[in-house]
Amino acid sequence: MLKKRIIVCLDVKDGRTTKGVKFKNNIDIGDPVEMAAEYYRQGVDELVFYDIMASARGRGPILELIARVAQQVFIPFCVGGGIGTVDDIRSTILAGAEKVSLNSQAVKQPELIQKGARIFGNQCIVLGMDAAKDDSMPSGYRVYINGGRTKTDLDAREWAQKAVKLGAGEIVLNSIDADGTRTGYEITLTSMIAESVSVPVIASGGGGTVQHLADVLTKGKADAALIASMVHSGEYTVESIKKDLAACNIPIRL
């Protein structure tokens, strides 16, 4: 049985790790390089680094900071934010990332998924998708871009399926409704997307307790759970979360 993964997310703004609720009221919580090193020491399976202002400000990724984080971790490392060209993908990978996450730019230019997958391989191209409940959409969920600030006409399930056809090798699915709330992942959304595509789905948004992770990895059919506030607050460590999940009979790398 494939092991489930625990992934820590570092949202970065102006070179510092930040945390907000539903993409608002962000506060500075530390240095991303130091935090990456600490989560690596705790045994995290993967690390995700999102430059949350890059797309909104129309600039590319901060390669120097990405390189410094990459030097601290020897696990898969995914970078998102401001990656809008094949050259951006190349330079991000050369800076030390194994994967790039395409979110707003994937919606604006879907051919970037296709080109990226063709040149670097599907395993390097991750679709980042921010979705919120919307009863007017076929699946009941609408896709948003620009850090959750801009509504699109895309249905969440249709967009996930299209992105996988184009070459996305994985999907990080973030529920805007649950983001930063620590009240649990959006199980309905996660299981629907996981059942609709043939690639791994990483659940994001809402993790607050080990039970929340256990629920999304089982009922939500997620291949991995992305966490942030849980460990940033110091309430949990990656190690303690993994031990508790193993005790729930969830296959996990200890």
Side-chain angles (χ1 to χ4, degrees):
M1 192 176 187
L2 274 180
K3 296 252 198 306
K4 303 285 188 179
R5 291 171 287 151
I6 301 302
I7 302 172
V8 169
C9 177
L10 301 175
D11 283 335
V12 177
K13 180 183 179 186
D14 302 324
R16 301 281 294 172
T17 307
T18 181
K19 197 72 199 95
V21 177
K22 299 186 181 180
F23 293 176
K24 295 186 182 110
N25 306 321
N26 285 70
I27 54 165
D28 183 321
I29 55 170
D31 174 48
V33 180
E34 288 169 11
M35 292 173 78
E38 173 57 24
Y39 294 133
Y40 175 64
R41 195 188 61 71
Q42 289 180 19
V44 74
D45 296 310
E46 292 187 24
L47 197 70
V48 171
F49 172 114
Y50 288 135
D51 186 330
I52 62 169
M53 295 306 293
S55 284
R57 289 175 178 167
R59 62 159 170 77
I62 307 171
L63 299 172
E64 177 267 337
L65 185 58
I66 292 163
R68 283 170 55 216
V69 171
Q71 283 158 10
Q72 299 296 324
V73 299
F74 302 92
I75 48 174
F77 173 39
C78 178
V79 172
I83 298 169
T85 66
V86 167
D87 283 343
D88 287 339
I89 297 174
R90 183 178 287 108
S91 55
T92 302
I93 291 170
L94 288 172
E98 275 78 22
K99 307 175 186 180
V100 297
S101 175
L102 305 176
N103 188 321
S104 304
Q105 291 299 331
V107 169
K108 291 169 188 172
Q109 39 170 347
E111 67 279 3
L112 186 61
I113 301 173
Q114 205 166 22
K115 286 178 191 165
R118 195 173 64 236
I119 298 167
F120 305 103
N122 303 61
Q123 78 288 347
C124 286
I125 307 299
V126 178
L127 176 75
M129 180 162 74
D130 296 317
K133 274 198 186 84
D134 187 330
D135 294 336
S136 69
M137 303 307 282
S139 70
Y141 294 88
R142 183 187 291 273
V143 175
Y144 285 72
I145 57 170
N146 297 331
R149 289 180 289 274
T150 309
K151 202 184 216 186
T152 75
D153 293 330
L154 296 172
D155 174 74
R157 180 169 50 206
E158 287 170 12
W159 174 229
Q161 290 171 329
K162 181 180 176 183
V164 170
K165 277 200 184 99
L166 287 168
E170 196 165 62
I171 295 173
V172 174
L173 173 63
N174 188 49
S175 162
I176 295 174
D177 302 308
D179 182 76
T181 62
R182 300 186 66 181
T183 53
Y185 294 89
E186 237 279 29
I187 303 290
T188 307
L189 171 64
T190 309
S191 60
M192 174 184 67
I193 299 296
E195 285 169 349
S196 304
V197 296
S198 56
V199 300
V201 171
I202 299 161
S204 169
T209 67
V210 173
Q211 190 57 53
H212 293 156
L213 274 81
D215 288 344
V216 84
L217 292 170
T218 53
K219 296 177 200 159
K221 302 178 174 66
D223 296 270
L226 193 119
I227 53 174
S229 308
M230 277 179 81
V231 284
H232 295 341
S233 65
E235 203 177 322
Y236 295 88
T237 65
V238 174
E239 199 174 10
S240 73
I241 290 168
K242 285 185 161 194
K243 281 183 178 159
D244 290 348
L245 287 171
C248 299
N249 295 319
I250 289 169
I252 208 95
R253 289 189 192 94
L254 290 170

